[in-house]
Amino acid sequence: MTPLLPLADLVAKPPPLPPDVVERAKRHLLDTLGAALAGVSTPAPGLAGPGNAPVWGTGLSVAPRDAALLNGVAAHALELDDTGGCDHSGAVVVPAALACLSLADRPVSGSELLEAVVLGYDVARRTLEACGGYAAHNEAGWHSTGTCGTFGAAAASTRLLGLDSARAAHALGLAAGFSGGLWAFVHDGAASKRLHAGRAAEGGLTAALLAASGTNGPGRIFDDVWGGFLRTYAGPGADPGALTRDLGTAWRISRCSIKPYASCRSTHSSIDAIGGLDLHAGEIARIHVRLSPLVAGMCGGRDVATLPRAQLSLPYGIAARILYGDADLAAYAPERRADPRAAELMNLIDLEVDPEMGGIDEPTLTVTTTSGAVRRARVSAPLGSPANPLSDERLLAKFHGLAPGRERLVDQVMTLDTHPDARDLLPLL
């Protein structure tokens, strides 16, 4: 049987969610909203049709598909959104799901919304795993947030639209046609990375709406056929069994991370490692970083003239943690990126690419101090990962730092599973 059908059945008829998964969904929902409210001032496409779906934090209302696009762009704009899903599932799934609320002509319970979000995370991550995993897919040049996220947005939207299994299969099939996203932005810091999240949110919602209207999608999209998603995007490295392995029992949102730092997730381990050594700038003679080819290709740059380039720079992340004590959004302000002390520290950092390391293996830091001492550090579970999660206090501090004065929104999200109508969230945005 094609793996599309079990996926569609899961979306149309999901089993009850474990309480810990519901709690995770609330945390990721809140974190995504905070990231988006902070990122709303960043440039975004200017064309949007009239409608009743809010562009979060602006007071504007637009057509739902346009809202999914714009809110997805905002959520990913500052590199503060969650990771470890498709990769950035929150910035894709949440904008699509909340845009769907604007289309609802009935009360949608908070539990229903959280269920849709969990399903979106699950399908998006499973699609990436079927492509061979994050390293293989991204090493090939694909930005998985855009290529695999579309399926997650379609799954969440399909659930909220109440489509049956047959229509859910059509929605997922149609979502494949809206998939796309390349890592070419890494070479010059182009803003296209954030657009991939928005387009995936918009594409998934569009696919679900088309399926709801009766449009048929390709039924063999995950089969090993010419034009199939996995053969096209993953080739011989595809693992189609990942689409249905542990389906409905091992929820993929549980392996996602919430970011404490405003930078690419692949810099976080090194930021934590240098922070754990508790060294001042004047104590450092040299920093040697041994890292994988994938991490070096993504995050080995030293040009911090633009925010996107700085956020992809592992050397700058290390320097920021040493100089400013953190790598939060404030550490990436223009004046801090231009601080000559940061450039001096980055000049002390050597990167050694180790071809024996796996794509997403965490780097190892070796620091030589001015006194001649040598200290080594490697953090295998960076702060915010499932094995080292943010505390509730730090999660709330992050949100309030990004979106101050929104206590009612926090209360609504963190008790969402008790609310009879999730549409009450929309005016708070």
Side-chain angles (χ1 to χ4, degrees), residues 284-288 301-303 313 315-316 318-319 322 339-351:
I284 296 172
R286 209 79 200 166
I287 300 175
H288 178 271
R302 299 169 189 264
D303 182 352
S313 172
Y316 181 78
I318 292 173
I322 295 168
D339 188 333
R341 297 177 301 163
E344 291 169 7
L345 272 174
M346 284 193 288
N347 286 335
L348 301 180
I349 299 173
D350 302 315
L351 303 182

Side-chain angles (χ1 to χ4, degrees), residues 130-154:
C131 286
Y134 178 87
H137 192 59
N138 284 271
E139 282 173 343
W142 300 113
H143 183 207
S144 56
T145 301
T147 56
C148 301
T150 313
F151 296 97

Side-chain angles (χ1 to χ4, degrees), residues 121-122 125-126 129 245 250-256:
Y121 274 70
D122 210 62
R125 177 67 197 188
R126 287 177 179 278
E129 291 174 3
R245 197 174 295 133
W251 296 100
R252 295 308 193 253
I253 195 171
S254 298
R255 54 102 53 227
C256 293

Side-chain angles (χ1 to χ4, degrees), residues 47-397:
L47 298 178
N52 66 336
V55 180
W56 307 335
T58 67
L60 301 175
S61 294
V62 297
R65 287 192 296 135
D66 294 328
L69 169 65
L70 296 175
N71 292 328
V73 170
H76 191 44
L78 298 179
E79 285 289 347
L80 286 159
D81 51 315
D82 63 19
T83 184
C86 63
D87 188 40
H88 299 281
S89 292
V92 174
V93 172
V94 172
L98 266 63
C100 254
L101 290 184
S102 303
L103 294 163
D105 57 2
R106 63 170 180 87
V108 178
S109 73
S111 293
E112 288 180 88
L113 175 60
L114 293 170
E115 178 185 69
V117 168
V118 170
L119 290 167
Y121 274 70
D122 210 62
V123 171
R125 177 67 197 188
R126 287 177 179 278
T127 305
L128 177 55
E129 291 174 3
C131 286
Y134 178 87
H137 192 59
N138 284 271
E139 282 173 343
W142 300 113
H143 183 207
S144 56
T145 301
T147 56
C148 301
T150 313
F151 296 97
S157 302
T158 294
R159 183 60 189 153
L160 290 171
L161 292 172
L163 304 189
D164 62 17
S165 295
R167 287 291 109 194
H170 289 304
L172 294 174
L174 289 165
F178 299 115
S179 176
L182 298 170
W183 268 93
F185 56 79
V186 76
H187 302 295
D188 52 16
S192 58
K193 185 173 189 283
R194 65 191 63 166
L195 298 178
H196 296 164
R199 287 306 301 261
E202 175 198 30
L205 175 57
T206 299
L209 291 172
L210 287 170
S213 72
T215 303
N216 291 350
R220 301 189 65 190
I221 199 64
F222 290 127
D223 293 355
D224 184 19
V225 296
W226 180 69
F229 181 81
L230 296 180
R231 183 189 285 193
T232 303
Y233 280 86
D239 178 15
L243 290 165
T244 55
R245 197 174 295 133
D246 303 320
L247 193 66
T249 59
W251 296 100
R252 295 308 193 253
I253 195 171
S254 298
R255 54 102 53 227
C256 293
S257 302
I258 290 178
K259 287 184 173 184
Y261 310 125
S263 60
C264 177
R265 164 62 182 79
S266 292
T267 70
H268 288 203
S269 172
S270 298
I271 293 169
D272 282 343
I274 197 67
L277 294 178
D278 195 25
L279 293 169
H280 300 294
E283 300 176 84
I284 296 172
R286 209 79 200 166
I287 300 175
H288 178 271
V289 183
R290 184 170 63 87
L291 71 174
S292 73
L294 176 62
V295 175
M298 287 195 302
C299 302
R302 299 169 189 264
D303 182 352
V304 297
T306 65
L307 179 61
R309 299 194 86 163
Q311 290 172 314
L312 284 166
S313 172
L314 186 147
Y316 181 78
I318 292 173
R321 180 63 183 262
I322 295 168
L323 286 176
Y324 312 126
D326 206 336
D328 57 4
L329 191 56
Y332 288 84
E335 63 274 13
R336 289 194 164 179
R337 301 199 311 267
D339 188 333
R341 297 177 301 163
E344 291 169 7
L345 272 174
M346 284 193 288
N347 286 335
L348 301 180
I349 299 173
D350 302 315
L351 303 182
E352 176 196 354
V353 178
D354 183 350
E356 299 301 315
M357 291 179 67
I360 55 175
D361 286 351
E362 303 295 2
T364 298
L365 274 62
T366 302
V367 181
T368 304
T369 69
T370 52
S371 67
V374 176
R375 301 177 65 180
R376 292 180 175 85
R378 179 178 181 272
V379 173
S380 58
L383 182 62
S385 65
N388 186 16
L390 291 185
S391 65
D392 287 346
E393 291 76 16
R394 182 141 186 180
L395 174 68
L396 293 175

